[in-house]
Amino acid sequence: MRQKIITFILWAISISGYAQQNGTLLKSQLPKIYIDEEISLHFLSPEPIQYVDISTDNMIGDIPLESVFRVKAIRDSVSNLNGYNKSLGVVTIVGQKFIAQYDLWYAHDERQLKTQIEILPSHTSPLEVGKIPLSDQELRYFSIEAFKRKTKDHITKSSQYGVTGQVNSIYTVDDYIFLDISFINKTNLKFDLDQLRFKIEDKRITKTTNVQSIEIEPEYQLFTPESFEKKYRNIYVFKKFTFPNSKVFTIELSESQISGRTLSLEIKYADLLAADTL
């Protein structure tokens, strides 16, 4: 009997190893989760969900929040099951850097039902297509790390209309650039943020020079305030970019009023090359 058990275990391991080596995953290997038509099941993702597939019409689901997938059984599809357990289909959830699959079964016994499932690393397979970009969760982590660091001597600084802006620090992680930027309002008027624009522009040699610019959108920003009274500090993240010495990277702050205040900062390419690592 003991020999039979050992043989069975070795057979199971060999089957699992064969599946992994061939890049396949059997339905029988998926985590089995029970749902019914009365209770919604929520999958909690560690990063924003990019795509979801429900393999059959027995279930309905949606993404109420970017990191939450909600699903439950459709009443008409399970009304004839009389409480018997039955597989309703496979749910596939794809994040920025993972894919997870679950085999959802119908069960009328509330002792088997869960209301939420956390997507764990053991449930997922990595998505490795070329170089893997940082997820929003990772960008947030590194942005917080940059924000926690004390500001050093500013890299560049500018003042106008009682508002002073400065780039405190520049950091890099993999192919990303993190800018630590602060603004100080020395007036008694609250500054209502219209927009903060980032551009690569020709150096302004004279006032009559025609300036060519390329606008660059941040991949991520730590905070999204609409206004500030006296101080404002934020971390902005960009995919790696380069520009020649004939150009500068400009940061333009503008106020949301007809005659609103504006402020511009300039960063030289040499400043980017001297960036610290997080």
Side-chain angles (χ1 to χ4, degrees):
M1 180 66 179
R2 183 166 176 261
Q3 183 63 37
K4 289 183 178 180
I5 293 174
I6 293 174
T7 302
F8 175 78
I9 292 174
L10 292 176
W11 174 83
I13 293 174
S14 66
I15 290 295
S16 175
Y18 175 80
Q20 292 177 1
Q21 289 173 5
N22 287 271
T24 61
L25 185 62
L26 301 176
K27 184 173 182 286
S28 60
Q29 296 175 297
L30 299 180
K32 183 183 292 186
I33 310 295
Y34 291 95
I35 64 172
D36 74 357
E37 72 278 23
E38 300 291 343
I39 300 175
S40 294
L41 172 64
H42 293 76
F43 288 91
L44 308 182
S45 170
E47 58 190 47
I49 296 170
Q50 308 297 305
Y51 164 81
V52 169
D53 177 74
I54 302 174
S55 65
T56 70
D57 296 331
N58 296 323
M59 300 172 284
I60 187 171
D62 64 351
I63 305 176
L65 299 172
E66 64 177 13
S67 297
V68 176
F69 171 58
R70 175 174 56 193
V71 65
K72 69 177 180 179
I74 296 177
R75 185 179 301 275
D76 292 343
S77 299
V78 299
S79 58
N80 61 342
L81 296 181
N82 297 321
Y84 290 105
N85 292 350
K86 179 183 178 182
S87 177
L88 298 180
V90 173
V91 163
T92 301
I93 304 172
V94 178
Q96 293 175 319
K97 300 177 68 174
F98 75 83
I99 180 171
Q101 293 183 300
Y102 299 87
D103 187 8
L104 269 57
W105 282 58
Y106 176 74
H108 196 62
D109 185 352
E110 290 189 356
R111 292 173 298 179
Q112 295 180 286
L113 300 176
K114 294 180 173 63
T115 59
Q116 67 180 41
I117 298 288
E118 183 178 357
I119 299 177
L120 300 174
S122 58
H123 300 165
T124 67
S125 298
L127 295 177
E128 299 182 358
V129 181
K131 187 171 180 62
I132 303 175
L134 295 180
S135 65
D136 285 355
Q137 183 182 34
E138 291 169 321
L139 293 177
R140 175 174 173 80
Y141 168 79
F142 286 114
S143 295
I144 292 174
E145 288 298 304
F147 191 82
K148 289 193 298 186
R149 296 194 179 188
K150 293 183 178 180
T151 58
K152 303 177 182 179
D153 295 336
H154 59 269
I155 294 172
T156 183
K157 186 175 183 178
S158 178
S159 298
Q160 196 166 1
Y161 303 114
V163 178
T164 298
Q166 65 182 46
V167 177
N168 303 309
S169 303
I170 303 176
Y171 303 102
T172 61
V173 177
D174 292 341
D175 287 337
Y176 292 87
I177 298 171
F178 292 73
L179 296 185
D180 181 348
I181 304 172
S182 293
F183 294 99
I184 299 174
N185 181 15
K186 298 179 181 179
T187 73
N188 294 323
L189 295 175
K190 180 180 68 173
F191 196 101
D192 295 313
L193 288 167
D194 178 22
Q195 56 185 340
L196 195 63
R197 302 176 68 183
F198 302 88
K199 305 176 184 178
I200 296 175
E201 298 182 325
D202 295 331
K203 290 182 179 178
R204 290 181 172 86
I205 300 174
T206 66
K207 292 184 178 179
T208 59
T209 302
N210 291 325
V211 178
Q212 296 180 348
S213 65
I214 301 173
E215 190 157 353
I216 298 179
E217 294 287 339
E219 294 286 319
Y220 180 84
Q221 67 182 66
L222 186 57
F223 306 116
T224 55
E226 296 181 353
S227 63
F228 65 95
E229 296 281 351
K230 293 298 181 182
K231 293 183 179 180
Y232 167 54
R233 182 182 171 210
N234 208 346
I235 308 296
Y236 295 87
V237 186
F238 301 85
K239 289 295 292 291
K240 183 178 68 175
F241 58 87
T242 61
F243 55 90
N245 288 330
S246 61
K247 296 181 181 293
V248 291
F249 182 65
T250 64
I251 304 166
E252 293 183 358
L253 174 72
S254 59
E255 191 174 17
S256 55
Q257 296 179 15
I258 296 176
S259 57
R261 293 165 285 184
T262 60
L263 182 68
S264 180
L265 295 164
E266 293 186 352
I267 298 176
K268 297 178 293 186
Y269 188 50
D271 296 326
L272 293 180
L273 294 178
D276 295 328
T277 56
L278 284 173

